[in-house]
Amino acid sequence: MQIMLIAILFIILIAFTIYKINNKFETKEFMILIAILVLGSSLVYYLFENQEQKVPQIFKTKYEKVYNAKIEKFSYERLNNKMVSSKTNFIYNFDYIVVKNNEEYICSSKNVKVKKIEDEFIFENFEKLEEKCTKQ
C-alpha cells in the first residue's frame, strides 16, 4: 500500500513538473510521461529480478561444490516474501534433480535460511541441510 501511494505521488509530481515546464499538458507531454513511467518501472523490475535470482544461483554452485553432485534442473520458492519482507534474512525452498553416482534423484530442501551481510550471502543451516531425495 505504501509503495503504491509513493508511486502515485511520483506520477503526480512528474505530471506537475511537465505541466509547469510547458504550461500545458497535451498529447506530447502525455507521451513523455508514459515513456518515463515505462522506463522507470522496467528498470525497477530488472533490478528486483536480478536480485531475486542471485541467492538460488549461489545455493546451486555451493551445493555442487560441497556435495560433488551435478544439479540438472533447479527451481526455488522464496518463502519470506509471503510472510515478512526483509532485506537481510531470506527463507527458501529448493527443488532440484541431482545426478549422483550416475543415478538421478529428485531432491528438495525446505526452509533454507540465508542471511545477507553487506554484499555476501551466508547459508545459516547449509551443514544441516534437510534434504529429502527420492530416486527417479
Side-chain angles (χ1 to χ4, degrees), residues 7-26:
I8 291 170
L9 289 174
F10 182 69
I11 292 169
I12 292 170
L13 179 69
I14 290 174
F16 181 73
T17 305
I18 291 172
Y19 175 76
K20 279 297 185 181
I21 289 173
N22 295 334
N23 287 331
K24 60 183 176 179
F25 201 83
E26 295 177 354

PDB file of all heavy atoms in Angstrom, residues 7-26:
ATOM      1  N   ALA A   7       4.230   5.594  -5.483  1.00  0.00           N
ATOM      2  CA  ALA A   7       4.219   5.590  -6.955  1.00  0.00           C
ATOM      3  C   ALA A   7       3.217   6.604  -7.499  1.00  0.00           C
ATOM      4  O   ALA A   7       3.521   7.329  -8.460  1.00  0.00           O
ATOM      5  CB  ALA A   7       3.898   4.191  -7.465  1.00  0.00           C
ATOM      6  N   ILE A   8       2.042   6.671  -6.893  1.00  0.00           N
ATOM      7  CA  ILE A   8       1.035   7.637  -7.344  1.00  0.00           C
ATOM      8  C   ILE A   8       1.526   9.066  -7.127  1.00  0.00           C
ATOM      9  O   ILE A   8       1.378   9.926  -8.004  1.00  0.00           O
ATOM     10  CB  ILE A   8      -0.309   7.385  -6.635  1.00  0.00           C
ATOM     11  CG1 ILE A   8      -0.915   6.070  -7.131  1.00  0.00           C
ATOM     12  CG2 ILE A   8      -1.282   8.546  -6.856  1.00  0.00           C
ATOM     13  CD1 ILE A   8      -2.114   5.601  -6.338  1.00  0.00           C
ATOM     14  N   LEU A   9       2.114   9.318  -5.977  1.00  0.00           N
ATOM     15  CA  LEU A   9       2.661  10.658  -5.713  1.00  0.00           C
ATOM     16  C   LEU A   9       3.781  11.005  -6.693  1.00  0.00           C
ATOM     17  O   LEU A   9       3.888  12.147  -7.141  1.00  0.00           O
ATOM     18  CB  LEU A   9       3.157  10.760  -4.271  1.00  0.00           C
ATOM     19  CG  LEU A   9       2.070  10.784  -3.200  1.00  0.00           C
ATOM     20  CD1 LEU A   9       2.704  10.741  -1.811  1.00  0.00           C
ATOM     21  CD2 LEU A   9       1.186  12.000  -3.352  1.00  0.00           C
ATOM     22  N   PHE A  10       4.596  10.016  -7.045  1.00  0.00           N
ATOM     23  CA  PHE A  10       5.678  10.227  -8.005  1.00  0.00           C
ATOM     24  C   PHE A  10       5.117  10.569  -9.388  1.00  0.00           C
ATOM     25  O   PHE A  10       5.616  11.475 -10.066  1.00  0.00           O
ATOM     26  CB  PHE A  10       6.562   8.976  -8.063  1.00  0.00           C
ATOM     27  CG  PHE A  10       7.736   9.105  -8.981  1.00  0.00           C
ATOM     28  CD1 PHE A  10       8.780   9.958  -8.686  1.00  0.00           C
ATOM     29  CD2 PHE A  10       7.786   8.359 -10.153  1.00  0.00           C
ATOM     30  CE1 PHE A  10       9.860  10.075  -9.533  1.00  0.00           C
ATOM     31  CE2 PHE A  10       8.869   8.468 -11.009  1.00  0.00           C
ATOM     32  CZ  PHE A  10       9.909   9.337 -10.698  1.00  0.00           C
ATOM     33  N   ILE A  11       4.073   9.870  -9.799  1.00  0.00           N
ATOM     34  CA  ILE A  11       3.436  10.152 -11.089  1.00  0.00           C
ATOM     35  C   ILE A  11       2.853  11.559 -11.100  1.00  0.00           C
ATOM     36  O   ILE A  11       3.010  12.302 -12.085  1.00  0.00           O
ATOM     37  CB  ILE A  11       2.353   9.091 -11.396  1.00  0.00           C
ATOM     38  CG1 ILE A  11       2.998   7.733 -11.639  1.00  0.00           C
ATOM     39  CG2 ILE A  11       1.495   9.495 -12.588  1.00  0.00           C
ATOM     40  CD1 ILE A  11       2.025   6.590 -11.676  1.00  0.00           C
ATOM     41  N   ILE A  12       2.188  11.931 -10.018  1.00  0.00           N
ATOM     42  CA  ILE A  12       1.617  13.276  -9.930  1.00  0.00           C
ATOM     43  C   ILE A  12       2.713  14.330  -9.975  1.00  0.00           C
ATOM     44  O   ILE A  12       2.571  15.353 -10.660  1.00  0.00           O
ATOM     45  CB  ILE A  12       0.766  13.410  -8.651  1.00  0.00           C
ATOM     46  CG1 ILE A  12      -0.482  12.539  -8.771  1.00  0.00           C
ATOM     47  CG2 ILE A  12       0.383  14.859  -8.385  1.00  0.00           C
ATOM     48  CD1 ILE A  12      -1.275  12.406  -7.494  1.00  0.00           C
ATOM     49  N   LEU A  13       3.823  14.075  -9.295  1.00  0.00           N
ATOM     50  CA  LEU A  13       4.949  15.016  -9.289  1.00  0.00           C
ATOM     51  C   LEU A  13       5.537  15.182 -10.691  1.00  0.00           C
ATOM     52  O   LEU A  13       5.814  16.306 -11.127  1.00  0.00           O
ATOM     53  CB  LEU A  13       6.030  14.566  -8.311  1.00  0.00           C
ATOM     54  CG  LEU A  13       7.262  15.448  -8.217  1.00  0.00           C
ATOM     55  CD1 LEU A  13       6.896  16.781  -7.567  1.00  0.00           C
ATOM     56  CD2 LEU A  13       8.343  14.757  -7.424  1.00  0.00           C
ATOM     57  N   ILE A  14       5.702  14.092 -11.415  1.00  0.00           N
ATOM     58  CA  ILE A  14       6.232  14.163 -12.784  1.00  0.00           C
ATOM     59  C   ILE A  14       5.264  14.922 -13.686  1.00  0.00           C
ATOM     60  O   ILE A  14       5.678  15.791 -14.472  1.00  0.00           O
ATOM     61  CB  ILE A  14       6.508  12.746 -13.346  1.00  0.00           C
ATOM     62  CG1 ILE A  14       7.693  12.106 -12.627  1.00  0.00           C
ATOM     63  CG2 ILE A  14       6.787  12.798 -14.839  1.00  0.00           C
ATOM     64  CD1 ILE A  14       7.937  10.668 -13.012  1.00  0.00           C
ATOM     65  N   ALA A  15       3.973  14.611 -13.575  1.00  0.00           N
ATOM     66  CA  ALA A  15       2.975  15.299 -14.408  1.00  0.00           C
ATOM     67  C   ALA A  15       2.955  16.794 -14.099  1.00  0.00           C
ATOM     68  O   ALA A  15       2.898  17.630 -15.013  1.00  0.00           O
ATOM     69  CB  ALA A  15       1.603  14.692 -14.183  1.00  0.00           C
ATOM     70  N   PHE A  16       3.023  17.150 -12.832  1.00  0.00           N
ATOM     71  CA  PHE A  16       3.031  18.565 -12.444  1.00  0.00           C
ATOM     72  C   PHE A  16       4.277  19.279 -12.967  1.00  0.00           C
ATOM     73  O   PHE A  16       4.203  20.404 -13.459  1.00  0.00           O
ATOM     74  CB  PHE A  16       2.943  18.686 -10.923  1.00  0.00           C
ATOM     75  CG  PHE A  16       2.910  20.101 -10.430  1.00  0.00           C
ATOM     76  CD1 PHE A  16       1.776  20.880 -10.592  1.00  0.00           C
ATOM     77  CD2 PHE A  16       4.025  20.662  -9.816  1.00  0.00           C
ATOM     78  CE1 PHE A  16       1.741  22.187 -10.141  1.00  0.00           C
ATOM     79  CE2 PHE A  16       3.996  21.964  -9.367  1.00  0.00           C
ATOM     80  CZ  PHE A  16       2.855  22.738  -9.528  1.00  0.00           C
ATOM     81  N   THR A  17       5.439  18.608 -12.899  1.00  0.00           N
ATOM     82  CA  THR A  17       6.679  19.196 -13.403  1.00  0.00           C
ATOM     83  C   THR A  17       6.593  19.432 -14.911  1.00  0.00           C
ATOM     84  O   THR A  17       6.989  20.492 -15.392  1.00  0.00           O
ATOM     85  CB  THR A  17       7.880  18.271 -13.080  1.00  0.00           C
ATOM     86  OG1 THR A  17       7.908  18.029 -11.680  1.00  0.00           O
ATOM     87  CG2 THR A  17       9.186  18.891 -13.512  1.00  0.00           C
ATOM     88  N   ILE A  18       6.086  18.443 -15.634  1.00  0.00           N
ATOM     89  CA  ILE A  18       5.939  18.601 -17.090  1.00  0.00           C
ATOM     90  C   ILE A  18       4.980  19.746 -17.400  1.00  0.00           C
ATOM     91  O   ILE A  18       5.228  20.560 -18.296  1.00  0.00           O
ATOM     92  CB  ILE A  18       5.459  17.277 -17.737  1.00  0.00           C
ATOM     93  CG1 ILE A  18       6.562  16.227 -17.659  1.00  0.00           C
ATOM     94  CG2 ILE A  18       5.057  17.499 -19.191  1.00  0.00           C
ATOM     95  CD1 ILE A  18       6.137  14.843 -18.100  1.00  0.00           C
ATOM     96  N   TYR A  19       3.886  19.848 -16.643  1.00  0.00           N
ATOM     97  CA  TYR A  19       2.927  20.931 -16.865  1.00  0.00           C
ATOM     98  C   TYR A  19       3.558  22.297 -16.595  1.00  0.00           C
ATOM     99  O   TYR A  19       3.367  23.248 -17.350  1.00  0.00           O
ATOM    100  CB  TYR A  19       1.694  20.739 -15.977  1.00  0.00           C
ATOM    101  CG  TYR A  19       0.717  21.873 -16.070  1.00  0.00           C
ATOM    102  CD1 TYR A  19      -0.109  22.005 -17.180  1.00  0.00           C
ATOM    103  CD2 TYR A  19       0.625  22.826 -15.062  1.00  0.00           C
ATOM    104  CE1 TYR A  19      -1.008  23.049 -17.282  1.00  0.00           C
ATOM    105  CE2 TYR A  19      -0.265  23.876 -15.149  1.00  0.00           C
ATOM    106  CZ  TYR A  19      -1.075  23.987 -16.257  1.00  0.00           C
ATOM    107  OH  TYR A  19      -1.951  25.020 -16.359  1.00  0.00           O
ATOM    108  N   LYS A  20       4.330  22.420 -15.531  1.00  0.00           N
ATOM    109  CA  LYS A  20       4.951  23.695 -15.176  1.00  0.00           C
ATOM    110  C   LYS A  20       6.008  24.116 -16.213  1.00  0.00           C
ATOM    111  O   LYS A  20       6.174  25.300 -16.480  1.00  0.00           O
ATOM    112  CB  LYS A  20       5.605  23.626 -13.792  1.00  0.00           C
ATOM    113  CG  LYS A  20       4.637  23.810 -12.672  1.00  0.00           C
ATOM    114  CD  LYS A  20       4.030  25.180 -12.761  1.00  0.00           C
ATOM    115  CE  LYS A  20       3.133  25.457 -11.595  1.00  0.00           C
ATOM    116  NZ  LYS A  20       2.509  26.760 -11.661  1.00  0.00           N
ATOM    117  N   ILE A  21       6.716  23.166 -16.779  1.00  0.00           N
ATOM    118  CA  ILE A  21       7.741  23.492 -17.774  1.00  0.00           C
ATOM    119  C   ILE A  21       7.086  24.006 -19.056  1.00  0.00           C
ATOM    120  O   ILE A  21       7.521  25.005 -19.625  1.00  0.00           O
ATOM    121  CB  ILE A  21       8.620  22.257 -18.067  1.00  0.00           C
ATOM    122  CG1 ILE A  21       9.504  21.958 -16.854  1.00  0.00           C
ATOM    123  CG2 ILE A  21       9.488  22.483 -19.300  1.00  0.00           C
ATOM    124  CD1 ILE A  21      10.289  20.676 -16.958  1.00  0.00           C
ATOM    125  N   ASN A  22       6.039  23.365 -19.521  1.00  0.00           N
ATOM    126  CA  ASN A  22       5.431  23.705 -20.813  1.00  0.00           C
ATOM    127  C   ASN A  22       4.164  24.549 -20.698  1.00  0.00           C
ATOM    128  O   ASN A  22       3.643  25.003 -21.720  1.00  0.00           O
ATOM    129  CB  ASN A  22       5.096  22.436 -21.593  1.00  0.00           C
ATOM    130  CG  ASN A  22       6.334  21.672 -21.972  1.00  0.00           C
ATOM    131  OD1 ASN A  22       7.403  22.245 -22.105  1.00  0.00           O
ATOM    132  ND2 ASN A  22       6.188  20.374 -22.131  1.00  0.00           N
ATOM    133  N   ASN A  23       3.622  24.749 -19.510  1.00  0.00           N
ATOM    134  CA  ASN A  23       2.357  25.444 -19.275  1.00  0.00           C
ATOM    135  C   ASN A  23       1.194  24.803 -20.029  1.00  0.00           C
ATOM    136  O   ASN A  23       0.224  25.462 -20.370  1.00  0.00           O
ATOM    137  CB  ASN A  23       2.452  26.933 -19.633  1.00  0.00           C
ATOM    138  CG  ASN A  23       3.260  27.683 -18.604  1.00  0.00           C
ATOM    139  OD1 ASN A  23       3.295  27.293 -17.433  1.00  0.00           O
ATOM    140  ND2 ASN A  23       3.911  28.730 -19.036  1.00  0.00           N
ATOM    141  N   LYS A  24       1.307  23.537 -20.336  1.00  0.00           N
ATOM    142  CA  LYS A  24       0.221  22.791 -20.967  1.00  0.00           C
ATOM    143  C   LYS A  24       0.478  21.301 -20.742  1.00  0.00           C
ATOM    144  O   LYS A  24       1.570  20.895 -20.359  1.00  0.00           O
ATOM    145  CB  LYS A  24       0.135  23.087 -22.465  1.00  0.00           C
ATOM    146  CG  LYS A  24       1.395  22.735 -23.242  1.00  0.00           C
ATOM    147  CD  LYS A  24       1.265  23.115 -24.696  1.00  0.00           C
ATOM    148  CE  LYS A  24       2.601  22.811 -25.381  1.00  0.00           C
ATOM    149  NZ  LYS A  24       2.551  23.130 -26.781  1.00  0.00           N
ATOM    150  N   PHE A  25      -0.532  20.498 -20.960  1.00  0.00           N
ATOM    151  CA  PHE A  25      -0.407  19.051 -20.823  1.00  0.00           C
ATOM    152  C   PHE A  25      -1.253  18.420 -21.923  1.00  0.00           C
ATOM    153  O   PHE A  25      -2.437  18.160 -21.766  1.00  0.00           O
ATOM    154  CB  PHE A  25      -0.877  18.589 -19.440  1.00  0.00           C
ATOM    155  CG  PHE A  25      -0.331  17.247 -19.054  1.00  0.00           C
ATOM    156  CD1 PHE A  25       0.923  17.141 -18.503  1.00  0.00           C
ATOM    157  CD2 PHE A  25      -1.065  16.096 -19.274  1.00  0.00           C
ATOM    158  CE1 PHE A  25       1.436  15.914 -18.149  1.00  0.00           C
ATOM    159  CE2 PHE A  25      -0.561  14.862 -18.932  1.00  0.00           C
ATOM    160  CZ  PHE A  25       0.694  14.770 -18.360  1.00  0.00           C
ATOM    161  N   GLU A  26      -0.621  18.207 -23.053  1.00  0.00           N
ATOM    162  CA  GLU A  26      -1.314  17.654 -24.216  1.00  0.00           C
ATOM    163  C   GLU A  26      -0.744  16.286 -24.546  1.00  0.00           C
ATOM    164  O   GLU A  26      -0.094  15.654 -23.730  1.00  0.00           O
ATOM    165  CB  GLU A  26      -1.173  18.622 -25.390  1.00  0.00           C
ATOM    166  CG  GLU A  26      -1.878  19.950 -25.154  1.00  0.00           C
ATOM    167  CD  GLU A  26      -1.681  20.935 -26.283  1.00  0.00           C
ATOM    168  OE1 GLU A  26      -0.907  20.641 -27.217  1.00  0.00           O
ATOM    169  OE2 GLU A  26      -2.312  22.010 -26.229  1.00  0.00           O
TER     170      GLU A  26
END
